[in-house]
Amino acid sequence: MLIEVAGVPVPGGRAAEAARMVCEEYADKALYHHSVRSYFFGAAWAEARGLDFDRELLFVSALLHDLALVPPFDSHTLPFEEAGGHLARVFTAGLGWPTRRRNRAAEVIVLHMRKDVAPEVDVESRLLQVGTSADVSGAGLESFDPSFRDALVAAYPRLDFARSFVRLFQDQAARKPGCAAAELVAGTWAERTASNPLG
């Protein structure tokens, strides 16, 4: 794994490496790359604005945020982001994180699928929202330098991400019609995702 992209660093330490390893093991390559890109987009957005944020918390949350879309962790009753929050609590308990920090990881994952959070209210949740929105549907891409975007996609290629991710959300929507993914699928999200300038 790269330790930085275009000057944006990845946190070191046991938690970050464990999150990377688990994501790489359970997600396919396209979803794994998306998770890493989501971190880099969020971190770059924060750095450009001089925002102070918990890099380890953001990285761990970004690497775990979509794992409840994959069969071993998929819930047939909970929206994937809520199931992902529970997964984060279990994962971080194994790291010895205190309850408050475990709850924060879960909160960041849940809130990335909710209405925008102001960075002054919850900076890590906002950063994951920014990162995932840019990478999935291209929302806010104009905020990033094209050279950064090119370097990120070169380091972590898109592969067939847009098409495969839309299918994952359509599956969630069909089985859990009241979830946030279903609301997105009912609108123009799939078309915006397919036309993301990142490819």
Side-chain angles (χ1 to χ4, degrees):
M1 175 165 176
L2 295 178
I3 58 171
E4 67 172 46
V5 170
V8 179
V10 167
R14 177 170 166 252
E17 175 56 20
R20 185 206 62 76
M21 183 172 58
V22 166
C23 184
E24 189 174 33
E25 181 175 347
Y26 283 98
D28 65 23
K29 199 164 188 178
L31 192 62
Y32 168 63
H33 282 193
H34 158 67
S35 300
V36 177
R37 290 192 307 267
S38 295
Y39 161 77
F40 277 114
F41 272 125
W45 193 87
E47 290 180 6
R49 288 156 182 76
L51 298 175
D52 185 30
F53 68 102
D54 186 327
R55 195 174 296 274
E56 179 185 66
L57 176 63
L58 177 62
F59 186 83
V60 168
S61 300
L63 271 288
L64 300 179
H65 84 276
D66 277 341
L67 283 186
L69 290 170
V70 303
F73 304 116
D74 182 27
S75 168
H76 288 280
T77 56
L78 294 176
F80 83 93
E81 68 275 16
E82 292 181 18
H86 289 290
L87 172 62
R89 283 193 179 93
V90 173
F91 174 86
T92 54
L95 293 170
W97 283 17
T99 300
R100 183 174 180 180
R101 189 164 179 77
R102 291 170 56 214
N103 289 342
R104 282 290 295 132
E107 182 177 41
V108 170
I109 290 170
V110 171
L111 290 182
H112 95 276
M113 287 295 292
R114 304 295 184 260
K115 293 189 183 299
D116 287 353
V117 179
E120 60 270 20
V121 173
D122 182 346
V123 66
E124 290 81 21
S125 292
R126 180 59 181 152
L127 297 182
L128 190 56
Q129 289 176 331
V130 166
T132 56
S133 296
D135 196 61
V136 173
S137 66
L141 272 179
E142 67 280 358
S143 300
F144 299 92
D145 189 288
S147 63
F148 168 76
R149 291 159 37 183
D150 292 346
L152 182 54
V153 172
Y156 294 96
R158 300 281 290 176
L159 307 174
D160 194 28
F161 171 69
R163 183 163 44 181
S164 62
F165 198 70
V166 166
R167 284 199 300 263
L168 287 171
F169 264 41
Q170 289 170 336
D171 175 65
Q172 292 284 311
R175 293 187 289 116
K176 308 167 195 177
C179 71
E183 185 177 341
L184 288 173
V185 168
T188 61
W189 171 86
E191 291 77 10
R192 289 184 285 115
T193 297
S195 61
N196 187 331
L198 294 175

